[in-house]
Short mmCIF file of all heavy atoms in Angstrom, two decimals:
data_model
loop_
_atom_site.label_atom_id
_atom_site.label_comp_id
_atom_site.label_asym_id
_atom_site.label_seq_id
_atom_site.Cartn_x
_atom_site.Cartn_y
_atom_site.Cartn_z
N ALA A 1273 70.46 182.28 81.81
CA ALA A 1273 69.87 181.40 82.82
C ALA A 1273 68.60 182.07 83.40
O ALA A 1273 67.56 181.39 83.63
CB ALA A 1273 70.84 181.09 83.84
N ALA A 1274 68.67 183.37 83.66
CA ALA A 1274 67.54 184.07 84.26
C ALA A 1274 66.39 184.07 83.19
O ALA A 1274 65.23 183.89 83.56
CB ALA A 1274 67.96 185.49 84.55
N TYR A 1275 66.65 184.35 81.93
CA TYR A 1275 65.75 184.26 80.85
C TYR A 1275 64.96 182.97 80.85
O TYR A 1275 63.73 182.95 80.83
CB TYR A 1275 66.29 184.54 79.49
CG TYR A 1275 66.39 185.94 79.01
CD1 TYR A 1275 66.87 187.02 79.79
CD2 TYR A 1275 66.08 186.20 77.71
CE1 TYR A 1275 66.97 188.33 79.24
CE2 TYR A 1275 66.11 187.56 77.18
CZ TYR A 1275 66.56 188.49 77.95
OH TYR A 1275 66.65 189.80 77.44
N ILE A 1276 65.77 181.96 80.85
CA ILE A 1276 65.14 180.54 80.73
C ILE A 1276 64.24 180.25 81.97
O ILE A 1276 63.14 179.74 81.81
CB ILE A 1276 66.25 179.46 80.58
CG1 ILE A 1276 66.86 179.66 79.18
CG2 ILE A 1276 65.69 178.05 80.71
CD1 ILE A 1276 68.12 178.89 78.94
N ALA A 1277 64.65 180.57 83.15
CA ALA A 1277 63.85 180.32 84.31
C ALA A 1277 62.54 181.12 84.22
O ALA A 1277 61.44 180.54 84.52
CB ALA A 1277 64.70 180.73 85.58
N VAL A 1278 62.65 182.39 83.79
CA VAL A 1278 61.44 183.14 83.68
C VAL A 1278 60.51 182.65 82.61
O VAL A 1278 59.24 182.61 82.84
CB VAL A 1278 61.84 184.64 83.50
CG1 VAL A 1278 60.55 185.51 82.98
CG2 VAL A 1278 62.41 185.28 84.66
N GLN A 1279 61.03 182.30 81.55
CA GLN A 1279 60.25 181.68 80.42
C GLN A 1279 59.45 180.51 80.87
O GLN A 1279 58.26 180.38 80.52
CB GLN A 1279 61.17 181.38 79.21
CG GLN A 1279 61.66 182.58 78.51
CD GLN A 1279 62.97 182.23 77.73
OE1 GLN A 1279 63.40 181.16 77.66
NE2 GLN A 1279 63.47 183.28 77.08
N VAL A 1280 60.08 179.51 81.57
CA VAL A 1280 59.45 178.37 82.01
C VAL A 1280 58.27 178.71 82.96
O VAL A 1280 57.18 178.21 82.89
CB VAL A 1280 60.42 177.34 82.58
CG1 VAL A 1280 59.66 176.12 83.15
CG2 VAL A 1280 61.36 176.83 81.51
N ILE A 1281 58.63 179.47 83.99
CA ILE A 1281 57.61 179.83 84.98
C ILE A 1281 56.45 180.59 84.31
O ILE A 1281 55.27 180.32 84.62
CB ILE A 1281 58.26 180.68 86.17
CG1 ILE A 1281 59.25 179.89 86.88
CG2 ILE A 1281 57.23 181.23 87.04
CD1 ILE A 1281 60.13 180.65 87.80
N ALA A 1282 56.78 181.61 83.51
CA ALA A 1282 55.68 182.41 82.85
C ALA A 1282 54.88 181.54 81.96
O ALA A 1282 53.60 181.75 81.81
CB ALA A 1282 56.32 183.61 82.12
N ALA A 1283 55.43 180.47 81.30
CA ALA A 1283 54.67 179.66 80.39
C ALA A 1283 53.64 178.93 81.21
O ALA A 1283 52.50 178.73 80.82
CB ALA A 1283 55.66 178.73 79.70
N ILE A 1284 53.99 178.42 82.32
CA ILE A 1284 53.02 177.64 83.22
C ILE A 1284 51.98 178.57 83.70
O ILE A 1284 50.79 178.24 83.78
CB ILE A 1284 53.83 176.98 84.35
CG1 ILE A 1284 54.78 175.95 83.81
CG2 ILE A 1284 52.84 176.38 85.36
CD1 ILE A 1284 55.67 175.28 84.87
N VAL A 1285 52.40 179.82 84.08
CA VAL A 1285 51.36 180.87 84.53
C VAL A 1285 50.39 181.04 83.37
O VAL A 1285 49.14 181.17 83.57
CB VAL A 1285 52.08 182.13 84.93
CG1 VAL A 1285 51.02 183.26 85.14
CG2 VAL A 1285 52.86 181.89 86.22
N GLY A 1286 50.84 181.20 82.12
CA GLY A 1286 50.02 181.42 80.99
C GLY A 1286 48.99 180.33 80.84
O GLY A 1286 47.79 180.53 80.46
N VAL A 1287 49.41 179.07 81.02
CA VAL A 1287 48.46 177.92 80.94
C VAL A 1287 47.41 178.03 81.97
O VAL A 1287 46.25 177.83 81.75
CB VAL A 1287 49.34 176.59 81.10
CG1 VAL A 1287 48.35 175.42 81.32
CG2 VAL A 1287 50.22 176.34 79.92
N ILE A 1288 47.78 178.40 83.22
CA ILE A 1288 46.82 178.56 84.34
C ILE A 1288 45.79 179.66 83.94
O ILE A 1288 44.59 179.51 84.27
CB ILE A 1288 47.58 178.81 85.64
CG1 ILE A 1288 48.37 177.61 86.06
CG2 ILE A 1288 46.63 179.19 86.74
CD1 ILE A 1288 49.35 177.86 87.22
N ILE A 1289 46.29 180.71 83.40
CA ILE A 1289 45.45 181.77 83.02
C ILE A 1289 44.45 181.35 82.02
O ILE A 1289 43.22 181.60 82.10
CB ILE A 1289 46.25 182.98 82.43
CG1 ILE A 1289 47.07 183.68 83.50
CG2 ILE A 1289 45.35 183.99 81.70
CD1 ILE A 1289 48.03 184.68 82.98
N ALA A 1290 44.82 180.56 81.03
CA ALA A 1290 43.94 180.10 79.96
C ALA A 1290 42.92 179.14 80.63
O ALA A 1290 41.67 179.17 80.37
CB ALA A 1290 44.68 179.31 78.92
N HIS A 1291 43.31 178.30 81.50
CA HIS A 1291 42.36 177.44 82.20
C HIS A 1291 41.38 178.19 83.02
O HIS A 1291 40.08 177.90 83.00
CB HIS A 1291 43.09 176.46 83.23
CG HIS A 1291 44.00 175.49 82.56
ND1 HIS A 1291 44.93 174.76 83.24
CD2 HIS A 1291 43.99 174.99 81.26
CE1 HIS A 1291 45.57 173.90 82.45
NE2 HIS A 1291 45.01 174.02 81.21
N GLY A 1292 41.77 179.24 83.64
CA GLY A 1292 40.82 180.08 84.43
C GLY A 1292 39.82 180.75 83.54
O GLY A 1292 38.59 180.88 83.91
N MET A 1293 40.25 181.21 82.35
CA MET A 1293 39.30 181.93 81.41
C MET A 1293 38.20 180.98 80.93
O MET A 1293 37.12 181.43 80.60
CB MET A 1293 40.06 182.49 80.32
CG MET A 1293 40.94 183.75 80.61
SD MET A 1293 41.56 184.59 79.18
CE MET A 1293 42.72 183.35 78.52
N PHE A 1294 38.55 179.64 80.78
CA PHE A 1294 37.54 178.72 80.30
C PHE A 1294 36.96 177.78 81.38
O PHE A 1294 36.39 176.75 81.01
CB PHE A 1294 38.30 177.87 79.19
CG PHE A 1294 38.44 178.70 77.89
CD1 PHE A 1294 39.67 179.39 77.67
CD2 PHE A 1294 37.43 178.72 76.95
CE1 PHE A 1294 39.84 180.08 76.53
CE2 PHE A 1294 37.65 179.49 75.76
CZ PHE A 1294 38.85 180.17 75.58
N GLU A 1295 37.08 178.19 82.56
CA GLU A 1295 36.46 177.48 83.72
C GLU A 1295 37.00 176.02 83.75
O GLU A 1295 36.16 175.09 84.00
CB GLU A 1295 34.94 177.58 83.70
CG GLU A 1295 34.38 178.98 83.76
CD GLU A 1295 32.85 179.05 83.86
OE1 GLU A 1295 32.26 178.39 82.95
OE2 GLU A 1295 32.39 179.58 84.76
N GLN A 1296 38.19 175.85 83.43
CA GLN A 1296 38.89 174.51 83.55
C GLN A 1296 39.54 174.42 84.92
O GLN A 1296 39.86 175.50 85.51
CB GLN A 1296 39.90 174.45 82.50
CG GLN A 1296 39.34 174.46 81.08
CD GLN A 1296 39.09 173.08 80.50
OE1 GLN A 1296 39.76 172.08 80.92
NE2 GLN A 1296 38.09 172.98 79.66
N PRO A 1297 39.87 173.27 85.44
CA PRO A 1297 40.67 173.09 86.55
C PRO A 1297 41.96 173.81 86.33
O PRO A 1297 42.59 173.61 85.27
CB PRO A 1297 40.84 171.61 86.70
CG PRO A 1297 39.62 170.99 86.02
CD PRO A 1297 39.30 171.93 84.91
N LEU A 1298 42.46 174.61 87.26
CA LEU A 1298 43.64 175.40 87.05
C LEU A 1298 44.84 174.57 86.90
O LEU A 1298 45.75 174.84 85.99
CB LEU A 1298 43.85 176.40 88.17
CG LEU A 1298 42.72 177.46 88.29
CD1 LEU A 1298 43.13 178.38 89.47
CD2 LEU A 1298 42.52 178.21 87.05
N PHE A 1299 44.98 173.41 87.62
CA PHE A 1299 46.22 172.59 87.64
C PHE A 1299 45.80 171.22 87.07
O PHE A 1299 44.89 170.50 87.57
CB PHE A 1299 46.75 172.51 89.04
CG PHE A 1299 47.18 173.71 89.66
CD1 PHE A 1299 46.30 174.43 90.56
CD2 PHE A 1299 48.29 174.41 89.30
CE1 PHE A 1299 46.64 175.65 91.13
CE2 PHE A 1299 48.63 175.60 89.82
CZ PHE A 1299 47.86 176.23 90.69
N GLN A 1300 46.45 170.89 85.95
CA GLN A 1300 46.16 169.65 85.21
C GLN A 1300 47.38 168.96 84.81
O GLN A 1300 48.47 169.54 84.75
CB GLN A 1300 45.29 169.98 83.92
CG GLN A 1300 44.08 170.72 84.13
CD GLN A 1300 43.31 171.13 82.86
OE1 GLN A 1300 43.59 170.54 81.77
NE2 GLN A 1300 42.44 172.08 82.91
N LEU A 1301 47.27 167.72 84.49
CA LEU A 1301 48.34 166.92 83.87
C LEU A 1301 47.77 166.36 82.56
O LEU A 1301 46.75 165.70 82.51
CB LEU A 1301 48.87 165.71 84.83
CG LEU A 1301 49.50 166.15 86.07
CD1 LEU A 1301 49.81 164.87 86.83
CD2 LEU A 1301 50.73 166.95 85.82
N SER A 1302 48.51 166.61 81.46
CA SER A 1302 48.04 166.19 80.13
C SER A 1302 48.06 164.68 79.97
O SER A 1302 48.94 164.07 80.43
CB SER A 1302 48.83 166.93 79.07
OG SER A 1302 48.38 166.45 77.77
N GLU A 1303 47.10 164.17 79.30
CA GLU A 1303 47.10 162.73 78.91
C GLU A 1303 47.23 162.62 77.37
O GLU A 1303 47.13 161.47 76.83
CB GLU A 1303 45.76 162.13 79.36
CG GLU A 1303 45.54 162.13 80.90
CD GLU A 1303 44.28 161.62 81.37
OE1 GLU A 1303 43.46 161.19 80.49
OE2 GLU A 1303 43.98 161.65 82.60
N LYS A 1304 47.59 163.70 76.69
CA LYS A 1304 47.63 163.63 75.19
C LYS A 1304 49.02 163.08 74.76
O LYS A 1304 50.01 163.76 74.97
CB LYS A 1304 47.42 165.05 74.68
CG LYS A 1304 47.20 165.00 73.14
CD LYS A 1304 46.50 166.20 72.62
CE LYS A 1304 46.18 166.14 71.13
NZ LYS A 1304 45.39 167.32 70.73
N MET A 1305 48.94 161.91 74.15
CA MET A 1305 50.17 161.26 73.75
C MET A 1305 50.79 161.93 72.49
O MET A 1305 50.06 162.15 71.53
CB MET A 1305 49.93 159.78 73.49
CG MET A 1305 51.27 158.95 73.19
SD MET A 1305 50.96 157.26 72.91
CE MET A 1305 50.00 157.22 71.41
N ARG A 1306 52.03 162.25 72.60
CA ARG A 1306 52.82 162.77 71.43
C ARG A 1306 54.14 162.13 71.44
O ARG A 1306 55.25 162.72 71.66
CB ARG A 1306 52.94 164.29 71.51
CG ARG A 1306 51.66 165.09 71.46
CD ARG A 1306 51.92 166.54 71.56
NE ARG A 1306 50.58 167.27 71.67
CZ ARG A 1306 49.94 167.83 70.70
NH1 ARG A 1306 50.31 167.70 69.48
NH2 ARG A 1306 48.86 168.58 70.95
N ALA A 1307 54.11 160.81 71.17
CA ALA A 1307 55.43 160.01 71.15
C ALA A 1307 55.84 159.48 69.83
O ALA A 1307 55.04 159.58 68.93
CB ALA A 1307 55.13 158.83 72.19
N GLY A 1308 57.04 158.97 69.79
CA GLY A 1308 57.47 158.36 68.60
C GLY A 1308 58.60 159.14 67.84
O GLY A 1308 58.70 160.33 68.00
N SER A 1309 59.26 158.42 66.97
CA SER A 1309 60.36 159.07 66.21
C SER A 1309 59.94 160.14 65.27
O SER A 1309 60.59 161.17 65.09
CB SER A 1309 61.17 157.98 65.45
OG SER A 1309 60.29 157.35 64.53
N ALA A 1310 58.82 160.05 64.70
CA ALA A 1310 58.19 161.03 63.74
C ALA A 1310 57.98 162.34 64.51
O ALA A 1310 58.25 163.43 63.99
CB ALA A 1310 57.02 160.56 63.08
N GLN A 1311 57.43 162.24 65.76
CA GLN A 1311 57.20 163.39 66.48
C GLN A 1311 58.52 164.08 66.88
O GLN A 1311 58.64 165.34 66.78
CB GLN A 1311 56.44 163.02 67.74
CG GLN A 1311 55.00 162.54 67.54
CD GLN A 1311 54.02 163.63 67.24
OE1 GLN A 1311 54.00 164.66 67.93
NE2 GLN A 1311 53.20 163.46 66.23
N GLY A 1312 59.49 163.28 67.31
CA GLY A 1312 60.81 163.88 67.63
C GLY A 1312 61.46 164.54 66.49
O GLY A 1312 61.97 165.60 66.53
N PHE A 1313 61.47 163.78 65.27
CA PHE A 1313 62.13 164.34 64.07
C PHE A 1313 61.34 165.70 63.66
O PHE A 1313 61.98 166.63 63.21
CB PHE A 1313 61.99 163.39 62.97
CG PHE A 1313 62.65 163.83 61.74
CD1 PHE A 1313 64.05 164.19 61.69
CD2 PHE A 1313 61.97 163.86 60.51
CE1 PHE A 1313 64.57 164.62 60.53
CE2 PHE A 1313 62.54 164.21 59.32
CZ PHE A 1313 63.85 164.66 59.32
N SER A 1314 59.99 165.70 63.80
CA SER A 1314 59.33 166.87 63.48
C SER A 1314 59.69 168.13 64.34
O SER A 1314 59.84 169.24 63.85
CB SER A 1314 57.74 166.64 63.77
OG SER A 1314 57.27 165.71 62.83
N GLU A 1315 60.07 167.83 65.65
CA GLU A 1315 60.46 168.93 66.54
C GLU A 1315 61.91 169.39 66.13
O GLU A 1315 62.22 170.56 66.35
CB GLU A 1315 60.37 168.49 67.95
CG GLU A 1315 58.97 168.55 68.48
CD GLU A 1315 58.38 169.91 68.38
OE1 GLU A 1315 58.85 170.93 69.04
OE2 GLU A 1315 57.38 170.09 67.63
#
Side-chain angles (χ1 to χ4, degrees):
Y1275 266 49
I1276 290 170
V1278 165
Q1279 290 158 359
V1280 172
I1281 294 169
I1284 295 172
V1285 170
V1287 168
I1288 294 170
I1289 289 170
H1291 291 165
M1293 290 192 292
F1294 286 91
E1295 297 183 310
Q1296 297 266 330
L1298 297 182
F1299 300 100
Q1300 306 175 17
L1301 293 178
S1302 179
E1303 299 176 0
K1304 189 160 188 175
M1305 185 175 69
R1306 297 181 188 266
S1309 58
Q1311 293 284 312
F1313 182 57
S1314 293
E1315 283 302 295

